[in-house]
Amino acid sequence: MTVEIDADRVLADLRELRRIGALESGVQRLAFGPDDRRAREWLLERFTEAGLEARIDGVGNVFGRWPRARRAVLVGSHSDTVPRGGWLDGALGVVAAVEVARALREVGVPDGAGVDLVSFADEEGTFRGTLGSTVFCGDIGDAELDDARDATGRPLRDALAEAGWAGRELARLDAERHHAFAELHIEQGPRLEAAGVPIGVVTAIVSMRRLAVDFHGRADHAGTTPMSMRRDAGAAAIRFAARALDLLAQRGGPDTVWNIGHMALEPGAGNVVPSRAMLLIEHRDVSDERLSEFDEALAQLAAAAGAEHGCTHSLREVVHLAGVEMDPDVVEAVQASARELGVQSMPMTSGAGHDAMIIGRHIPAGMVFVPSIDGRSHDVAEDTREEDLVTGVRVLARAVQRLLNAETPVKAVGAST
Ligand SMILES: [Zn+2]
């Protein structure tokens, strides 16, 4: 029997979760803050009601285990938000996961199979980006967790203690049990809407590098110092910035994106030659090798710009996220589900990082995207048409069912349909 979701039930859940941390038309649930904690307690109840053995673990992950299953598809996303965030980023994926579990319980699953649910902690990086999924996969050591702090310098350990979760046993990815991970998410960009297609099938999550470039010169009087004798760090940084943008425009592929998101001059007075200038330049592409080539070229540009202005410089890679290909079988399960439901879908890459990027390094993973109105996200303006939300949950549920059926000896069933 084909799984059937209850559209009203899932929309009602989404609206209820939206009330926790509501801010204007969006929500704000910063990791481990009071509203994030309330949302996780609320999810714990939903997971339990759906028949799962559920708990909140030592890093704040809400994890629900399908009883008596030997093999399970892991389904979920995150429930924390950025400051002044939207109501669907992450929330859609966890609420959809609950509905998938309920609907599959109603229709029945193959013997020994099941669905485990998860809402990962601090995906948005209040303390550390994709914290919950990284801990879940065992990809981070205790020392790194000891060092993690928010922007105010507050240690992660203190926030976990205050939430009452410190010291709890951690939920872990179990490669024997978890044979696939599926995440429904809003696109957070304008491509699906522009194409008029309701479902995006994610084929890869792109790689990302962020470089901090620092130029050091000398502060001098802006009126009395001859141009030939200046060591103007600001001029070096701006020259570097302009050439870097040109280089990326010339050598970037169709999917390459980049920006200089921050730039600062010191001491920052109109009548002082800048002694220091720093900027953050970020670039993303499906091809990690391409990003390595850019890094090399950018390092040469920084050296040249520094030298031209008599400045020393340093260049540091502050973020290096390796992207990941989504698993072909999960991609196929999503595509087939959309086809079966008579819903148009298109393959696409994700320019944003997600928990699936972490999980996908360990087990087969895939993502389903639904359109974001006007491409808006990471803002209270974020929204998606109800019809598209429901279609997304429907495609996810059917894809998970296909994955559950595929791993038991029911290949004959697949062949006969
Ligand atoms: Zn998200």
Side-chain angles (χ1 to χ4, degrees):
M1 283 243 296
T2 302
V3 63
E4 289 291 346
I5 64 133
D6 182 333
D8 292 336
R9 189 165 61 179
V10 75
L11 290 172
D13 276 352
L14 269 174
R15 289 189 200 110
E16 210 177 314
L17 180 53
R18 180 183 200 166
R19 286 208 289 269
I20 304 175
L23 178 72
E24 295 164 31
S25 61
V27 294
Q28 177 164 297
R29 292 191 295 261
L30 304 182
F32 312 117
D35 288 319
D36 180 46
R37 273 140 58 184
R38 278 173 59 214
R40 286 177 190 277
E41 295 291 341
W42 181 85
L43 281 166
L44 182 67
E45 284 173 33
R46 300 291 84 70
F47 284 16
T48 307
E49 275 171 15
L52 297 154
E53 297 162 354
R55 64 195 176 92
I56 300 176
D57 82 351
V59 73
N61 287 333
V62 193
F63 181 63
R65 208 168 182 279
W66 189 285
R68 289 178 298 282
R70 293 184 302 278
R71 306 195 73 196
V73 174
L74 183 67
V75 191
S77 190
H78 61 95
S79 48
D80 63 303
T81 74
V82 293
R84 297 184 57 79
W87 71 294
L88 294 169
D89 181 356
L92 173 62
V94 289
V95 166
V98 172
E99 181 59 23
V100 168
R102 284 189 299 229
L104 282 169
R105 187 169 294 287
E106 283 161 10
V107 72
V109 293
D111 226 15
V115 179
D116 287 353
L117 303 187
V118 67
S119 173
F120 290 117
D122 199 12
E123 193 270 349
E124 299 290 8
T126 298
F127 291 84
R128 188 192 189 281
T130 60
L131 173 72
S133 49
T134 305
V135 170
F136 187 73
C137 292
D139 289 347
I140 185 171
D142 276 340
E144 222 178 313
L145 293 175
D146 292 343
D147 288 345
R149 276 158 215 278
D150 71 7
T152 69
R154 183 171 190 235
L156 166 67
R157 297 287 193 196
D158 289 2
L160 283 170
E162 198 188 306
W165 300 330
R168 291 190 187 186
E169 194 194 336
L170 294 170
R172 293 287 195 186
L173 182 76
D174 176 354
E176 293 284 299
R177 176 183 177 87
H178 297 128
H179 57 98
F181 174 65
E183 179 173 6
L184 172 65
H185 206 282
I186 53 167
E187 182 200 342
Q188 306 183 275
R191 288 186 284 169
L192 285 173
E193 187 178 68
V197 174
I199 292 291
V201 186
V202 179
T203 52
I205 300 175
V206 305
S207 298
M208 188 256 260
R209 312 280 179 96
R210 187 181 302 150
L211 304 175
V213 191
D214 224 325
F215 293 94
H216 286 271
R218 200 176 81 174
D220 278 305
H221 195 289
T224 60
T225 316
M227 293 309 286
S228 61
M229 294 174 71
R230 294 183 184 207
R231 295 170 55 202
D232 187 336
I238 291 162
R239 200 174 294 277
F240 164 76
R243 288 177 185 161
L245 296 177
D246 284 347
L247 174 113
L248 289 161
Q250 281 156 17
R251 291 176 46 184
D255 288 330
T256 315
V257 291
W258 60 90
N259 59 274
I260 293 169
H262 176 80
M263 198 161 182
L265 304 183
E266 289 176 5
N271 59 357
V272 183
V273 175
S275 56
R276 184 176 175 216
M278 75 84 67
L279 57 84
L280 293 173
I281 182 164
E282 192 175 290
H283 49 109
R284 307 180 189 219
D285 196 276
V286 182
S287 161
D288 206 48
E289 294 95 89
R290 180 177 261 155
L291 297 187
S292 294
E293 287 168 27
F294 291 154
D295 275 359
E296 251 173 64
L298 291 171
Q300 286 170 13
L301 289 183
E308 279 170 51
H309 292 278
C311 296
T312 58
H313 82 287
S314 70
L315 186 140
R316 216 156 36 91
E317 191 176 68
V318 289
V319 178
H320 181 142
L321 284 178
V324 68
E325 303 264 330
M326 297 287 92
D327 180 77
D329 288 340
V330 183
V331 167
E332 168 55 25
V334 175
Q335 280 171 334
S337 303
R339 227 170 20 240
E340 195 179 88
L341 293 163
V343 174
Q344 214 190 332
S345 73
M346 67 182 224
M348 62 193 299
T349 56
S350 172
H354 293 287
D355 292 307
M357 180 172 73
I358 308 299
I359 308 289
R361 291 183 198 135
H362 298 269
I363 60 168
M367 292 190 80
V368 185
F369 277 177
V370 291
S372 294
I373 295 173
D374 200 21
R376 301 293 302 274
S377 188
H378 279 189
D379 184 79
V380 295
E382 171 189 288
D383 206 1
T384 295
R385 296 191 320 151
E386 265 186 15
E387 190 187 325
D388 291 336
L389 294 173
V390 171
T391 301
V393 182
R394 203 162 264 149
V395 169
L396 175 75
R398 185 68 188 116
V400 171
Q401 189 180 39
R402 292 184 81 95
L403 291 167
L404 287 177
N405 290 341
E407 56 87 26
T408 49
V410 286
K411 282 219 161 64
V413 174
S416 69
T417 50

